[in-house]
Structure formats: structure tokens, C-alpha cells
Amino acid sequence: MARGVAIIAVVYFHATLFLEVVGVDRTLGRAKALLELVPLPAFFLIAGLFSSRLVKEGSFRELTKKRVVPLLYVYVLWSLFRFAMFALFPSLPSRATDIAAGDPLSLLLLPVLPASLYWFLYALALSTLLTWILRRAPRWLLGAAAAAASMLFTSGVVNTGTIAWNRIGTLFVFFVVGVLFRSEIIRLMTRARHWHAGVAVGIYLAIALALALARPLLTIPGTVFLGQVAGVAALLLVAKSVQDLRAARTLVRCGRASLAIYLSHILVIPPLAWLIGLFSPSWPTVVNILIAVAVTAVAVAVGLGLAAVAPRIPWLFSPPWTTARRRSRSVPITSPTQPAPTSSRRAASNMRR
């Protein structure tokens, strides 16, 4: 469920960015800080939790086969799709990134500069490999070093000059914590009560509002990191508190389809923004917000549809040399941020869910 909330927030955030290019703006304002603090750290933490056993106990061959290579394959494949869309339709609105979306140089530099919005997959593969290499180091030392690096990046003290590498340096700590402190996190979540969720939400909102209203705080090392930690904790605790509600089922479904939603929404939002831009929008803020919500809903729906047909086109989510084996065992496609089924019975159960 937490992953479902996070992916919807990511889609909405990207929808506002592309809509702003065509004149549909002011849909976030200072509330932008709320969406910048939580979703990506949550994804990295959850990915670390699901990868813990493999990273700590798996061999290099097993690690690369099950995680690193599949992630890099999907990263390259969908970056090709994104490049093709913007190269064929240069009039589509695009955001300023390290390299223009339709520039062939973006493809040549994929191994060293993840300039597209699919940088998350590259970062996840790199984080997995780096954590495996450093897994024998004292975990508190490694966690503290990663946290210190994150604080330096978020405060701007360290700046690589590229969006993707700055984010990788910022978010690596959450993957490390998910891998190395999985047992402690699960123990805390198991013991948590409803009032803990309320306290966590209050702390998160206080930090987020402070950062939004007093922008100079962003340059102080540690302030953004504290907001991220509080936000992720609040998200997980709230998800636990309301997970049994009927209204949560849609969020759970989005969480299970998060990979498909993430991959497809980047190709859905720019054409929708282009169509909306044809109307020369100059509407009130409330209308702009409704449009952003509608674009988000369409992009999420497309992702859910893609997830539903994933077993028929598995090569979109995994290397072809692995999908043949999966089809023969009737194993469904799973996100690189969730554990793969360990038996055909469990696979069938996951498919039904």
C-alpha cells in the first residue's frame, strides 16, 4: 500500500511538471516540498527491504542475474522507448534534464549518465551492486556514511552538476538501511500502534512546512534528510493503520503494479500535456489542479492496464532470456523492488491478488 501511495505521488508530481510547460501551472506551489520528500526515499527503502537476503547472502552471479541485469535491461529498453517518442515527436513538451529527451547522446551516455526519468532503475541497480560490495562493513558505519553523503547532497554542499547523480547520492542511504536493518524495521512496524502513525505524520508535516516556508533551511545539512526519514516513517505507519480498509484496495493494487505504472506514465503524460496545451490554457488554479489529477488518473489507469497484460508481453519487464523460463513455470512478472515468487503455488496466488 505504501508503494501504491508513493507511485501515485510520483505520477502526480511528473504530471504537474509537464503540464507546467504548456501553461497549466501553480498546481503544487510550496506543497511541492511534500511530494519531494517522501516517494523516492520510500521506494528505495522498500527495494532494500525486499532485496535484503539476496544482497547480504547471495553470490555475485546470483545478484547480477536476479537483480542487476534485469534492472539494467528494463532501464535501457524503456529509455529507448522514451527517446523514440521525443525524437519522432519533438513538439511534445519536455522538462529540462541533463540531456534533451530526443538527443541521441542521451542513449550513448546511458551507462554513465542516467539522464532520462528512468534513472531510478539505474540507481537501484547501482545501489544493489554497491551495497553487496560493502556488505561486510560494519552496518552502522555504512549507514552513517550513506546518511552523511545524503545530507551533503540535499543541502547542496556536494553537487555533481547532474540531476540523476545528485539523487543517487541522496537516496542511496535508504536502500542501505532497508537492506542492513530489515529485521529492526519489521520489528518496529510490527509493534507500532495507530497513535504512532499520528505522531509520525505530525512530525513530518512540521518539518515539511518549515522547509516549504523557510527555504534557507534547505541549505543546512540534515534538514531535508530528517524530513525524508519522518515522511517515510509516516507513510509506512499510516499504511499499516489503514491497510484493511476497503478504500485501501486500490492503493494496494497500484503498489503491486508500481513498476508498470512507473515505466508507462513517462510515455503517457507528455502526449496528454501536449493535447491540453492546444487549448491555450489560462484557467484558475482549481481547474489546473483538477486537470493534473485527471492526467494522473489516466496515467495510473494505463499502468494498471499494462500490468494486467504483463504476462503476455513479459519482455517489457524482464530480459527475454529469463521470460521464457518464467512462462514455462507460469511465474508472473514482478517488480524489481519486490521479492520474486519462490514457488508456482505462490506465483499463482500473487497473480490472483
Side-chain angles (χ1 to χ4, degrees), residues 31-252:
K32 179 182 179 182
L34 299 177
L35 292 184
E36 288 184 322
L37 289 175
V38 180
L40 292 177
F43 272 121
F44 272 78
L45 180 73
I46 293 171
L49 291 171
F50 284 150
S51 303
S52 181
R53 186 208 63 80
L54 182 62
V55 174
K56 291 194 294 186
E57 303 174 10
S59 65
F60 178 76
R61 182 176 182 275
E62 185 182 15
L63 185 82
T64 55
K65 179 181 178 181
K66 292 186 176 181
R67 281 291 187 272
V68 177
V69 171
L71 283 167
L72 294 178
Y73 167 83
V74 177
Y75 162 64
V76 172
L77 178 65
W78 284 81
S79 293
L80 287 171
F81 292 159
R82 174 182 176 272
F83 165 77
M85 182 180 74
F86 283 100
L88 293 173
F89 305 99
S91 59
L92 290 177
S94 62
R95 293 289 303 175
T97 56
D98 299 317
I99 303 176
D103 190 338
L105 184 62
S106 64
L107 297 181
L108 296 176
L109 295 180
L110 280 178
V112 294
L113 180 58
S116 77
L117 293 179
Y118 294 120
W119 65 269
F120 169 78
L121 299 170
Y122 181 90
L124 201 55
L126 185 63
S127 297
T128 301
L129 186 59
L130 185 57
T131 306
W132 182 86
I133 294 172
L134 300 173
R135 70 193 185 283
R136 303 303 182 192
R139 60 176 186 164
W140 289 103
L141 178 61
L142 180 56
S150 178
M151 295 178 194
L152 294 176
F153 275 102
T154 54
S155 62
V157 174
V158 175
N159 188 346
T160 65
T162 64
I163 297 172
W165 281 110
N166 285 344
R167 288 173 176 170
I168 292 172
T170 297
L171 299 167
F172 175 61
V173 59
F174 293 96
F175 183 85
V176 168
V177 170
V179 170
L180 301 182
F181 297 91
R182 181 180 187 274
S183 298
E184 288 81 359
I185 292 172
I186 292 178
R187 188 181 306 118
L188 289 173
M189 290 297 300
T190 302
R191 297 175 178 176
R193 299 295 180 261
H194 294 297
W195 67 269
H196 291 124
V199 172
V201 170
I203 295 174
Y204 161 63
L205 290 177
I207 296 175
L209 289 175
L211 294 175
L213 297 176
R215 305 296 288 181
L217 290 176
L218 296 173
T219 61
I220 300 176
T223 55
V224 173
F225 179 71
L226 288 176
Q228 292 172 329
V229 171
V232 172
L235 174 61
L236 294 178
L237 290 169
V238 170
K240 181 193 176 183
S241 297
V242 302
Q243 62 181 335
D244 295 327
L245 299 179
R246 178 170 296 185
R249 294 178 182 176
T250 299
L251 296 176
V252 173

Side-chain angles (χ1 to χ4, degrees), residues 257-303:
S258 58
L259 177 62
I261 295 173
Y262 168 70
L263 293 173
S264 62
H265 88 280
I266 298 173
L267 305 183
V268 172
I269 292 176
L272 290 177
W274 177 79
L275 288 173
I276 294 170
L278 295 178
F279 295 93
S280 300
S282 57
W283 304 308
T285 300
V286 63
V287 176
N288 289 342
I289 293 175
L290 292 175
I291 290 174
V293 170
V295 170
T296 300
V298 172
V300 170
V302 171

